[in-house]
């Protein structure tokens, strides 16, 4: 444009002015300033973002998948009941076995037993998503869900399942059923409110858990999540995510355990619990909730979506300003000094507009009117 203007008018001032006003500083500043402002906003809520790309990807997410233990619940389950013909022996065996595991359920059982009188465990093995096994004094001990015990040919006929959402750990010794331990975990504060606000943002919520059907459905009903999958192994979770992605969904996964790491990596955006979460899950995730506050997730998604809207607006403004200023320069209505002033004013306006993200906070009105965040009808449906 500068060269053509000079060839047409032979006025070097016009050509120089075009170069001054169309230097794309405002255009280049629009994205990084908005991303940094958004990251600064989220840091105040104890949310760490690994990179700007993760924040931009999160803005397009339309399904959020939750793990249960340690994510929707506090991850500090307690033993509420023990059923066995010989509870003392059973607790001694399972506490010795579970002392080798880092799982929250294992820690709860060992804490409940509250004794240093534990046996040596040989051949300890973790059955991912099912339970643990090992040898104690020459006897093979198994502790886990029904699927694990059935795979070991332990008869469980006539054993009733819980009705109130407790987690059941079945125990067997040398292929014979010993008894069952019931554990209960408490939901995190404001979990139901969080799910309601996510639905207001048109986010489909899903619960994927390794727990049995009754426990999973009990928790899902309590917090109003309609899409629930139970008895899930780690590969079941990754397969579900892959299927949703094939259908065109952008999926975010939030979890805390080692078992969740593959799913966090597979999802478009992985969100890890920073306090209770394992190092592996935090490393696999794109975003970390330092304080484990899932009630801040709506704020996270709202800021991500708002940042995309701010970036788009900033880019559009910068382009429009440059085009108008260039047109004025071509017509000889701007000199280089005036062009430089307009150029820098445009950059300042873009930076100031991006900085509004620093103090942005989601409101109830945003949940009722998601279009304000740049959310359109193009999101995948149906939403549950």
């Amino acid at each position: 444009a500068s060269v053509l203007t000079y060839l047409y008018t032979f006025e070097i001032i016009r050509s120089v002015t075009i170069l001054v006003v169309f230097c794309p500083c405002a255009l280049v500043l629009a994205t990084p300033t908005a991303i940094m402002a958004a990251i600064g906003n989220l840091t105040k809520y104890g949310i760490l973002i690994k990179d700007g790309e993760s924040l931009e990807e999160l803005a397009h997410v339309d399904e959020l998948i939750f793990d249960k233990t340690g994510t929707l619940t506090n991850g500090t389950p307690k033993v509420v009941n023990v059923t066995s013909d010989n509870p003392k022996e059973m607790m001694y065996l399972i506490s010795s076995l579970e002392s080798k595991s880092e799982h929250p359920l294992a820690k709860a059982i060992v804490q409940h037993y509250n004794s240093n009188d534990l046996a040596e465990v040989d051949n300890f093995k973790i059955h991912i998503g099912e339970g643990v096994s090992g040898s104690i004094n020459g006897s093979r001990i198994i502790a886990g869900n029904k699927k694990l015990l059935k795979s070991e040919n332990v008869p469980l006929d006539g054993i009733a399942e819980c009705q109130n959402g407790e987690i059941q750990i079945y125990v067997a010794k040398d292929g014979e059923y010993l008894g069952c331990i019931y554990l209960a975990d408490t939901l995190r504060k404001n979990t139901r409110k969080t799910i309601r606000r996510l639905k207001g943002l048109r986010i489909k919520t899903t619960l994927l858990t390794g727990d049995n059907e009754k426990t999973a459905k009990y928790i899902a009903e309590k917090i109003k999540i309609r899409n629930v999958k139970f008895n899930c192994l780690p590969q079941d979770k990754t397969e579900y995510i892959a299927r949703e992605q094939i259908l065109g969904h952008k999926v975010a996964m939030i979890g805390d355990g080692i078992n969740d790491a593959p799913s966090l990596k597979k999802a478009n955006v992985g969100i890890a619990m920073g306090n209770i979460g394992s190092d592996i899950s935090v490393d696999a995730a794109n975003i970390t909730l330092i304080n484990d506050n899932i009630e801040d997730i709506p704020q996270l998604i709202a800021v991500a979506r708002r940042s995309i809207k701010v970036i788009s607006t900033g880019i559009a403004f910068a382009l429009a300003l440059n085009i108008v200023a260039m047109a004025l320069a071509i017509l000889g209505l701007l000199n280089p000094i005036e062009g430089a002033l307009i150029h820098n004013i445009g950059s300042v306006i873009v930076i100031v507009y991006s900085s509004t993200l620093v103090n942005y906070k989601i409101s109830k009105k945003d949940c009722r009117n998601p279009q304000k965040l740049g959310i359109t009808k193009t999101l995948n449906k149906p939403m549950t």
Side-chain angles (χ1 to χ4, degrees):
S2 177
V3 171
L4 290 175
T5 299
Y6 177 75
L7 293 176
Y8 185 77
T9 64
F10 293 103
E11 293 185 24
I12 191 65
I13 295 298
R14 293 194 190 190
S15 296
V16 171
T17 304
I18 291 171
L19 293 177
V20 170
V21 298
F22 213 83
C23 185
C25 289
L27 187 67
V28 174
L29 286 169
T31 299
T33 53
I35 292 295
M36 291 305 296
I39 290 175
N41 179 308
L42 295 171
T43 301
K44 294 187 291 184
Y45 292 87
I47 302 172
L48 295 186
I49 313 292
K50 285 187 177 180
D51 50 59
E53 185 179 354
S54 300
L55 194 66
E56 292 185 59
E57 188 74 8
L58 183 65
H60 303 291
V61 161
D62 58 11
E63 180 174 2
L64 182 58
I65 297 173
F66 290 90
D67 175 47
K68 185 184 77 67
T69 304
T71 304
L72 290 175
T73 64
N74 287 302
T76 53
K78 295 183 179 180
V79 175
V80 294
N81 192 21
V82 176
T83 58
S84 175
D85 292 335
N86 191 346
K88 187 175 181 180
E89 178 193 13
M90 186 186 76
M91 288 303 301
Y92 170 71
L93 293 173
I94 190 173
S95 297
S96 300
L97 183 63
E98 297 286 15
S99 66
K100 301 294 183 180
S101 173
E102 293 296 321
H103 196 280
L105 297 178
K107 292 179 179 179
I109 292 172
V110 175
Q111 184 178 5
H112 178 78
Y113 186 63
N114 194 26
S115 174
N116 294 322
D117 180 25
L118 299 175
E120 289 292 328
V121 179
D122 299 318
N123 303 318
F124 177 77
K125 182 180 179 181
I126 296 176
H127 302 265
I128 301 297
E130 296 181 349
V132 293
S133 64
S135 298
I136 298 177
N137 298 327
S139 297
R140 179 170 167 75
I141 310 299
I142 305 170
N145 57 24
K146 275 190 173 183
K147 185 176 181 180
L148 176 61
L149 270 69
K150 285 182 178 179
S151 69
E152 299 283 344
N153 299 317
V154 178
L156 296 175
D157 297 334
I159 299 173
E161 291 192 356
C162 62
Q163 300 296 325
N164 298 318
E166 293 95 349
I167 301 167
Q168 292 173 277
I169 304 295
Y170 301 94
V171 186
K173 176 183 178 182
D174 291 330
E176 293 185 5
Y177 176 73
L178 284 184
C180 183
I181 297 177
Y182 297 80
L183 301 100
D185 200 356
T186 55
L187 284 169
R188 290 186 179 276
K189 184 181 178 182
N190 295 330
T191 301
R192 188 169 178 176
K193 177 183 177 182
T194 300
I195 300 300
R196 186 172 64 249
R197 298 185 83 180
L198 288 171
K199 291 178 181 178
L201 292 172
R202 294 186 184 177
I203 296 289
K204 177 183 177 182
T205 53
T206 300
L207 172 61
L208 300 184
T209 177
D211 291 342
N212 61 62
E213 180 178 0
K214 290 188 177 179
T215 300
K217 288 186 175 180
Y218 175 81
I219 294 295
E221 176 61 29
K222 206 166 185 179
I223 60 177
K224 303 303 180 184
I225 290 182
R226 296 177 185 174
N227 190 28
V228 55
K229 309 293 180 184
F230 43 85
N231 294 327
C232 291
L233 298 175
Q235 59 265 33
D236 296 326
K237 295 181 181 181
T238 55
E239 287 172 3
Y240 175 87
I241 292 171
R243 288 196 300 270
E244 292 297 292
Q245 290 172 334
I246 290 172
L247 293 173
H249 289 266
K250 293 284 189 178
V251 180
M253 168 77 187
I254 176 168
D256 67 297
I258 295 175
N259 295 346
D260 297 322
S263 302
L264 294 173
K265 204 72 175 176
K266 178 65 178 175
N268 297 90
V269 179
I271 305 172
M273 309 295 278
N275 190 17
I276 194 175
S278 66
D279 292 341
I280 294 177
S281 65
V282 171
D283 184 63
N286 309 99
I287 298 171
T288 302
L289 305 181
I290 297 299
N291 300 318
D292 296 346
N293 292 330
I294 64 169
E295 59 188 295
D296 291 330
I297 292 178
Q299 171 73 11
L300 168 62
I301 293 174
V303 168
R305 289 174 167 174
R306 180 71 180 177
S307 66
I308 296 300
K309 184 177 181 181
V310 168
I311 289 170
S312 300
T313 303
I315 289 174
F317 169 78
L319 281 172
L321 181 66
N322 284 0
I323 291 171
V324 170
M326 185 180 72
L328 294 174
I330 290 173
L331 296 173
L333 300 177
L334 283 181
N335 61 44
I337 295 176
E338 294 169 337
L341 183 63
I342 292 175
H343 164 77
N344 285 304
I345 288 175
S347 298
V348 171
I349 291 173
V350 167
I351 293 172
V352 170
Y353 182 55
S354 295
S355 70
T356 60
L357 281 169
V358 172
N359 295 315
Y360 172 76
K361 186 174 182 180
I362 189 174
S363 65
K364 292 180 180 179
K365 191 174 181 180
D366 291 327
C367 292
R368 291 194 299 267
N369 185 20
Q371 282 79 9
K372 286 186 65 178
L373 301 176
I375 306 170
T376 67
K377 294 181 180 180
T378 60
L379 292 178
N380 296 306
K381 292 184 178 182
M383 293 297 162
T384 57

